[in-house]
Amino acid sequence: MPVTRPLNIAMVLNRYIPIKGGAEIQASLLCRQLIARGHHIHIITRKIDSALPSDDVIDGIPIHRLTPSGLG
């Protein structure tokens, strides 16, 4: 089904690749399918590992990692 107007989609996830689990792999596959249909995707996730950059691009998908706040 062709896209008449691409959507801007922000996916908010607890974790994302390179941290791999079932949910992260499923989200990655979903993102790729949405991009293939012409949509624009951004991932917003927690910065669990301080070695990971705050802003990154993986498989053409912009990733924004936010430092968690609060008690944990």
Side-chain angles (χ1 to χ4, degrees):
M1 174 182 292
V3 175
T4 56
R5 191 179 113 224
L7 299 175
N8 292 311
I9 301 169
M11 295 186 76
V12 180
L13 305 165
N14 187 44
R15 297 180 303 175
Y16 193 68
I17 295 173
I19 298 166
K20 287 190 180 179
E24 293 77 26
I25 293 169
Q26 184 65 30
S28 175
L29 293 171
L30 177 60
C31 287
R32 288 186 211 155
Q33 288 296 314
L34 290 167
I35 289 170
R37 293 173 185 242
H39 301 297
H40 306 284
I41 307 293
H42 284 259
I43 300 290
I44 301 168
T45 187
R46 293 187 324 144
K47 188 173 183 177
I48 295 173
D49 184 346
S50 62
L52 294 172
S54 295
D55 293 306
D56 200 359
V57 176
I58 299 175
D59 295 331
I61 303 166
I63 313 295
H64 308 286
R65 295 185 186 93
L66 306 176
T67 305
S69 63
L71 299 174

